[in-house]
Amino acid sequence: MEIRYAKAAVKVIGGMDRPTKQRIRNAVERLPKGDVKPLSGSVRLYRLRVGDWRVVFSYPDGDAVLVEKIAPRGEVYKGGLL
């Protein structure tokens, strides 16, 4: 499965400490396993819980994952998604 990252997600990952980066990367690589739920109000977006962080992603193609947003739990849903 191909994993792609949006610019916003890459920017957030760049500012993280190494252990957090590794936890998120490992969780994304194991998709669709993990604490994954569809976002309410959206047909195509899902969220992955990694500790206090949330990874919002979609499946634009059948065999690809697009990580669209990464943020702490309290901030990821604010201001609308994308």
Side-chain angles (χ1 to χ4, degrees):
M1 178 178 300
E2 179 187 1
I3 301 171
R4 294 180 284 181
Y5 293 86
K7 282 185 179 182
V10 171
K11 186 174 181 179
V12 171
I13 289 172
M16 292 179 177
D17 59 2
R18 177 170 275 167
T20 305
K21 282 182 191 180
Q22 290 176 343
R23 284 180 47 219
I24 290 178
R25 183 185 51 144
N26 290 338
V28 169
E29 288 176 354
R30 288 193 311 260
L31 283 173
K33 295 180 183 178
D35 188 0
V36 175
K37 292 185 180 178
L39 287 182
S40 60
S42 176
V43 178
R44 64 178 194 92
L45 293 176
Y46 299 85
R47 73 100 173 119
L48 168 66
R49 184 179 66 86
V50 183
D52 288 338
W53 288 87
R54 300 298 182 266
V55 178
V56 177
F57 67 95
S58 63
Y59 294 105
D61 304 327
D63 61 343
V65 173
L66 175 61
V67 176
E68 303 196 29
K69 188 173 183 181
I70 300 173
R73 180 186 63 85
E75 298 175 19
V76 73
Y77 307 112
K78 291 181 181 176
L81 292 170
L82 315 173

